[in-house]
Amino acid sequence: MSMRIGTPLIINLACTGVIPTRAMSPHVPLTHDEILADVATAIAQGVQIVHLHARDAESVQTSDPEPYGLLVSAIRALPGGRELVVGVTTSGRLENGFATRSRVLDLDGDAKPDMGSLTLSSLNFAQSASINAPATIRALAARMLERGIKPELEVFDAGMANFARVLLAEGLVKPPLYVNVLLGNIAGAQADLLQLSAILAALPPDCIVSVAGLGRYQLAANGLGLLAADGVRVGLEDNLWMDQGRTVPASNATLVDRICRLAEPLERPLMARAELRHRLGLSS
């Protein structure tokens, strides 16, 4: 595992997610306008990727493509929004069927996302499960390939890293792969060097890797990403607090700002968005 001191850094902002509610955090963006405002701030901070979850009128995660299309189009219209890499979820947390989860991948024009999330196995969280059958994973990968949407591969353990190799061998994903390694889940790899190293070793060559941490493990995992990966994933989807004692509520802006401040002494300037789009093979 090589250290990345002095190399350009990627920040992926996961701003909303499935679980956070207004009761959990006053800062979590749930409406169209709130998400758009947080994304505008993130662009000004230098963030290169945003990972979007839309909510319905009751603030529940939705797979309806319409609010995603409206969000993506509005983001494109922001200053700097054209170069931002915009990803949408195909989460299996609330719905596990291909037909429902794939609808967001059919958006077109300014509403079309650059990336779509693709979790590489089923897994348990603390109080719920994300169901991702092999056939569904393959079908989502095939639809993304057909639509020219880059998979945002989500890896929680070494077995999922191996499945990335399987999809690559089957021609369902194309290099370079973009991978989020998510650490600290109750039923996945933990936020330590040994477990991260095992996942990085299991991934196929030519991967662009960001490291995320769930809950109180976000800061430790992001620290590992700053040292040993291309970037980090950060945001209120994964963690609602600035401190381990859970006394200081976080916002997306404060979480991103902390990453930028930690990156400075490691001489990790933020990668230009145009350079990331080029590396990912995305059109400008």
Side-chain angles (χ1 to χ4, degrees):
M1 183 171 66
S2 61
M3 295 295 101
R4 300 301 182 90
I5 308 300
T7 63
L9 179 72
I10 299 163
I11 300 178
N12 183 335
L13 176 65
C15 57
T16 302
V18 178
I19 300 301
T21 64
R22 185 71 69 230
M24 293 177 185
S25 168
H27 302 301
V28 62
L30 301 177
T31 68
H32 173 94
D33 288 346
E34 289 169 349
I35 295 170
L36 192 64
D38 272 22
V39 171
T41 299
I43 291 173
Q45 291 175 297
V47 166
Q48 303 97 334
I49 305 175
V50 290
H51 170 92
L52 301 177
H53 289 251
R55 303 287 185 96
D56 64 18
E58 283 72 48
S59 294
V60 176
Q61 156 81 26
T62 181
S63 59
D64 181 357
E66 183 179 6
Y68 288 95
L70 292 172
L71 264 176
V72 176
S73 297
I75 289 169
R76 303 281 190 226
L78 292 171
R82 288 271 167 201
E83 288 192 324
L84 187 70
V85 177
V86 181
V88 296
T89 187
T90 67
S91 173
R93 197 89 171 253
L94 299 182
E95 298 172 289
N96 55 47
F98 167 77
T100 302
R101 293 165 62 178
S102 65
R103 290 188 299 162
V104 71
L105 302 175
D106 293 328
L107 291 165
D108 257 321
D110 280 352
K112 181 180 175 182
D114 296 302
M115 302 180 80
S117 69
L118 188 64
T119 306
L120 294 181
S121 183
S122 298
L123 70 153
N124 289 331
F125 293 101
Q127 297 178 343
S128 62
S130 175
I131 307 301
N132 303 286
T136 302
I137 297 169
R138 287 184 168 95
L140 288 168
R143 180 62 59 85
M144 291 183 203
L145 188 63
E146 174 190 353
R147 297 283 297 132
I149 294 171
K150 192 79 175 175
E152 185 182 8
L153 302 178
E154 296 191 342
V155 168
F156 288 77
D157 58 37
M160 292 192 195
N162 184 67
F163 201 70
R165 289 180 176 268
V166 171
L167 295 182
L168 188 62
E170 293 175 353
L172 290 171
V173 295
K174 301 293 185 184
L177 307 185
Y178 178 82
V179 180
N180 285 323
V181 176
L182 297 105
L183 304 175
N185 181 47
I186 192 170
Q190 298 307 295
D192 65 52
L193 278 168
L194 181 61
Q195 295 188 55
L196 175 60
S197 297
I199 291 173
L200 294 178
L203 286 170
D206 204 5
C207 287
I208 298 168
V209 178
S210 292
V211 182
L214 305 191
R216 66 177 73 250
Y217 303 106
Q218 183 174 78
L219 181 57
N222 286 167
L224 293 174
L226 285 165
L227 289 170
D230 300 286
V232 302
R233 164 171 143 163
V234 71
L236 294 179
E237 173 171 352
D238 298 333
N239 164 53
L240 300 175
W241 304 97
M242 293 301 294
D243 61 325
Q244 295 296 299
R246 299 185 178 186
T247 63
V248 181
S251 68
N252 285 311
T254 58
L255 290 169
V256 171
D257 179 67
R258 180 165 66 182
I259 292 298
C260 293
R261 287 187 285 108
L262 291 171
E264 255 186 70
L266 298 175
E267 299 181 16
R268 298 208 64 180
L270 295 182
M271 183 181 290
R273 295 187 190 103
E275 180 184 347
L276 178 59
R277 295 190 71 88
H278 175 73
R279 286 188 62 186
L280 292 170
L282 299 172
S283 59
S284 300

